Amino acid sequence: MVDPVSDVAEDTEETAPTCATCGETILNEPTHRVTTEVADGAVVTTHFCDEDCLSAYEG
């Protein structure tokens, strides 16, 4: 993802994020989930293709 505050449906195959759990490319999916945290003074975003992958990552 080029810009974390980009417009909806702006991603392409080359710029789309991948799911941290299953590795699938997340291309403009309504089920896309993102977590954000600050680690060592930097903002870290982690992308998930759906709620199940988010739960599996956290669990």
Side-chain angles (χ1 to χ4, degrees):
M1 178 178 278
V2 175
D3 179 3
V5 293
S6 62
D7 293 333
V8 174
E10 189 175 288
D11 288 328
T12 64
E13 285 286 334
E14 294 80 32
T15 62
T18 57
C19 179
T21 303
C22 70
E24 291 287 323
T25 300
I26 305 166
L27 189 59
N28 307 317
E29 298 294 330
T31 58
H32 183 187
R33 300 291 180 261
V34 181
T35 61
T36 305
E37 64 182 289
V38 176
D40 298 323
V43 175
V44 178
T45 56
T46 308
H47 298 265
F48 304 93
C49 55
D50 58 26
E51 196 69 35
D52 291 337
C53 281
L54 172 60
S55 296
Y57 186 84
E58 292 176 336

